[in-house]
Amino acid sequence: MATEHEDRPVAIVAGGSTGIGAAVARRLDQEGYRVVVVSSKSVDEGESVAAELDGSWFLRADLSEPGAAAEVVARVGAEHGRLDTVVYAAGKTARIAHPDIHAVTDDVWDGILKLNVLGPWHFVQAAEPLLRKSPNGTIVVVGALAGVDVGGSSIPYAVSKAAVHHMCKLLGGALGPEIRVNAVAPGFIETRWTEDWTAFRGQISDKAPLRRTGLPEEVAELVLGLIRATYVTGQTVVVDGGLSLLP
Ligand SMILES: NC(=O)c1ccc[n+]([C@@H]2O[C@H](COP(=O)([O-])OP(=O)(O)OC[C@H]3O[C@@H](n4cnc5c(N)ncnc54)[C@H](OP(=O)(O)O)[C@@H]3O)[C@@H](O)[C@H]2O)c1
């Protein structure tokens, strides 16, 4: 017979060591999830997030590698025997002004598409059998406002996020009724990613409807909302303090 502990749902947070993913891991823990935190380089941070949480553990994996998601899911399945939620927050960019098209090499495209598009795709493929058995099988991918509007740190990054939003829409149509797939599209969120975006931060404080940048916890709240929203699938929800409303 399953113990109370074993009955708790299980989530993988890919890119859960820092920033938005770490906030999601903490929020899921508050909701009673056992969270598996995954990242590639920030091992100390990942282990320390997992150590804060009840029944959580850290797994190191480079999710731009083709077999990595399958290995992570296999480990989680072997350890917990179930998987209820995958949140994919791992991401990569290159800062290249959009008109500077000759600076965008194929290597830049390759690195960004592998982590931002193929990474979540491989998770979906690997996790699908376990998620189908869950009473609330859900996938939430962290996309970006750059994939909705004109903007973003480079064209390959923006294209990768638009691709992942569309992927979630198509998968929402393909994987029901057992699995729901949604994306969130953050604007400017205060993480190590945006630490030195001083000028843009100032513009947002001056002009965006909510007059401030966002916090990782505010994105985590939306991710949790989508996990709970049992009649929502295939959607991309913008979380940007109204930034995208500016003319
Ligand atoms: N901050 C913003 O304003 C903003 C806006 C829109 C969208 N986003 C999106 O939000 C997501 C999270 O970003 P963040 O702002 O929270 O930045 P962050 O703190 O740098 O988080 C990125 C996470 O991805 C992990 N990661 C990177 N490369 C990886 C790889 N190859 N394999 C496994 N994990 C990898 C990182 O850990 P390691 O480096 O240790 O691997 C880290 O846990 C990204 O997808 C980003 O595109 C952020």
Side-chain angles (χ1 to χ4, degrees), residues 215-229:
L215 299 173
E217 292 74 19
E218 294 177 302
V219 181
E221 204 55 43
L222 178 60
V223 170
L224 181 70
L226 286 170
I227 291 168
R228 284 175 162 161

Side-chain angles (χ1 to χ4, degrees), residues 14-22 38-43 45 58 61-65 88-93 115-116 142-146 157 161 184-194 197 216:
S17 57
T18 59
I20 293 169
V38 183
S39 77
S40 60
K41 292 193 277 296
S42 43
V43 174
E45 291 93 328
F58 172 76
D62 180 351
L63 298 174
S64 55
E65 292 294 325
Y88 192 94
K92 177 187 175 92
T93 192
L115 186 65
N116 296 7
V142 180
L145 186 59
Y157 175 74
K161 294 298 187 177
V184 296
F188 186 130
I189 308 299
E190 295 290 351
T191 68
R192 66 179 185 178
W193 187 293
T194 49
W197 293 12

Side-chain angles (χ1 to χ4, degrees), residues 111-213:
I112 289 175
L113 293 178
K114 272 187 179 148
L115 186 65
N116 296 7
V117 181
L118 286 177
W121 177 255
H122 290 145
F123 257 109
V124 172
Q125 286 183 319
E128 184 255 351
L130 282 172
L131 291 176
R132 274 204 201 281
K133 293 186 200 148
S134 163
N136 184 30
T138 48
I139 297 163
V140 181
V141 179
V142 180
L145 186 59
V148 177
D149 280 347
V150 173
S153 40
S154 63
I155 286 180
Y157 175 74
V159 168
S160 76
K161 294 298 187 177
V164 93
H165 298 161
H166 199 58
M167 184 196 294
C168 289
K169 189 172 191 171
L170 297 171
L171 288 170
L175 296 184
E178 298 91 354
I179 304 175
R180 294 179 300 107
V181 188
N182 292 292
V184 296
F188 186 130
I189 308 299
E190 295 290 351
T191 68
R192 66 179 185 178
W193 187 293
T194 49
E195 259 165 9
D196 59 350
W197 293 12
T198 313
F200 193 20
R201 182 181 290 107
Q203 288 164 19
I204 289 171
S205 307
D206 287 347
K207 294 195 184 127
L210 300 190
R211 301 284 193 279
R212 63 177 179 84
T213 54

